[in-house]
Structure formats: C-alpha cells, structure tokens
C-alpha cells in the first residue's frame, strides 16, 4: 500500500479510472515493512503499476510489485 490502509480478502481492485479489474485474495499489516501488504488477482490486460484498493467505499492507492515482498540478502 502507498497510502494508509490494509487490503483484506474480497476487497475490489480498481484502475486509476475506477474500473474494477480484480479482487484481493489475502492481506495483512506487515510488521517489518510497517505498511499494508496483500495479494490478489487482476485482469491480464491491466499491467499498470499503480492501482486502488477499495476500502470502506474509498479508493486507497497501492502499487503492484513482484513476489517476494522482502528480498533475502
């Protein structure tokens, strides 16, 4: 998450225009990163890096990044 919020299972994922493009499958607060992290499915046609997670009917900015969230040294 870029903005403050925790993505939870079932939350909608939208593009920057508000079009629904997917769903969150799991999410939590990362104590190491000190921010919300989650996983979800989006339509293959959408490859934008910035998305919105709809939390309590409000879009909250998030960024798509590859797994793992934390890289081992």
């Amino acid at each position: 998450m870029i903005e403050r919020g925790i993505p939870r299972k079932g939350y909608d994922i939208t593009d920057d225009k508000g079009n629904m493009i997917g769903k969150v499958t799991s999410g939590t607060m990362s104590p190491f990163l000190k921010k919300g992290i989650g996983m979800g499915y989006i339509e293959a046609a959408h490859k934008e890096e910035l998305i919105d997670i709809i939390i309590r009917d409000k879009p909250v900015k998030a960024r798509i990044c590859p797994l793992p969230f934390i890289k081992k040294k």
Side-chain angles (χ1 to χ4, degrees):
M1 300 295 295
I2 295 172
E3 297 178 338
R4 186 176 173 177
I6 301 173
R8 299 284 186 202
K9 181 180 179 181
Y11 284 3
D12 291 336
I13 302 172
T14 63
D15 62 12
D16 60 346
K17 297 177 183 108
N19 301 314
M20 190 169 120
I21 60 171
K23 290 270 186 191
V24 174
T25 57
S26 65
T28 191
M29 180 67 173
S30 168
F32 183 77
L33 296 174
K34 296 185 176 31
K35 60 175 72 175
I37 60 172
M39 294 189 296
Y41 288 106
I42 62 170
E43 297 172 5
H46 297 278
K47 296 180 182 175
E48 51 277 310
E49 187 173 312
L50 297 177
I51 56 171
D52 291 322
I53 307 295
I54 306 302
I55 301 175
R56 296 186 192 128
D57 298 322
K58 179 183 166 195
V60 181
K61 294 286 180 212
R63 184 181 75 233
I64 296 174
C65 64
L67 292 174
F69 295 119
I70 302 169
K71 295 186 172 137
K72 295 180 182 180
K73 292 183 179 182

